[in-house]
Amino acid sequence: MSSVGLKTFFNIASAWKLTNDQEVILLGSPSRSNFYNWKRNPSAANLNRDTLERISYILGTYKALQILLPDPKAADEWISKPNAEAIFGGESALARMLSGNVSDLFVVRQYLDSMRGGCRR
């Protein structure tokens, strides 16, 4: 599961135009050597539960955006655009997710799921 999850995460990170620093934060701030090893050879990664949970929230967020915004470009750009919703405080969903807390990844995912008409995990 680690390999597939990481490959998918890095594909999403590319679509969202994330920097390596942003990717590191979203993955839970692994050491730089681990991060670059994962990026170079995801099939050799042995991820802990926290990192897998983070990847799960990112994948769910990506999927929800693709459903809500069928134009892939608009879906990928939404994550970085300022948002007036109270939970984002005028910042982007990505800014909220980059706080470093796994709970913020959950909040963004939950928000998008609610926009789809129900809470799913």
Side-chain angles (χ1 to χ4, degrees), residues 28-74:
S29 299
S31 69
R32 289 290 174 167
S33 61
N34 277 345
F35 172 75
Y36 287 110
N37 285 336
W38 294 347
K39 202 162 191 171
R40 185 175 41 259
N41 189 9
S43 59
N46 185 16
L47 303 179
N48 64 35
R49 186 176 185 161
D50 177 72
T51 304
L52 288 170
E53 181 179 5
R54 290 167 175 279
I55 290 172
S56 173
Y57 289 136
I58 299 293
L59 273 58
T61 297
Y62 180 82
K63 177 184 173 186
L65 286 170
Q66 296 301 314
I67 292 168
L68 288 167
L69 302 167
D71 173 19
K73 186 175 188 271

Side-chain angles (χ1 to χ4, degrees), residues 14-30:
S14 176
W16 289 353
K17 298 178 173 54
L18 301 181
T19 66
N20 284 339
D21 288 341
Q22 290 171 323
E23 291 174 21
V24 166
I25 292 168
L26 292 177
L27 288 170
S29 299

Side-chain angles (χ1 to χ4, degrees), residues 1-13 16 26-27 51-67 79 97 105 109 112-113 116 121:
M1 181 180 310
S2 294
S3 173
V4 173
L6 273 176
K7 288 177 187 176
T8 305
F9 171 83
F10 288 125
N11 286 336
I12 292 168
W16 289 353
L26 292 177
L27 288 170
T51 304
L52 288 170
E53 181 179 5
R54 290 167 175 279
I55 290 172
S56 173
Y57 289 136
I58 299 293
L59 273 58
T61 297
Y62 180 82
K63 177 184 173 186
L65 286 170
Q66 296 301 314
I67 292 168
I79 202 80
M97 294 165 63
L105 300 176
R109 165 82 186 273
L112 291 169
D113 283 345
R116 290 178 46 210
R121 179 156 185 217

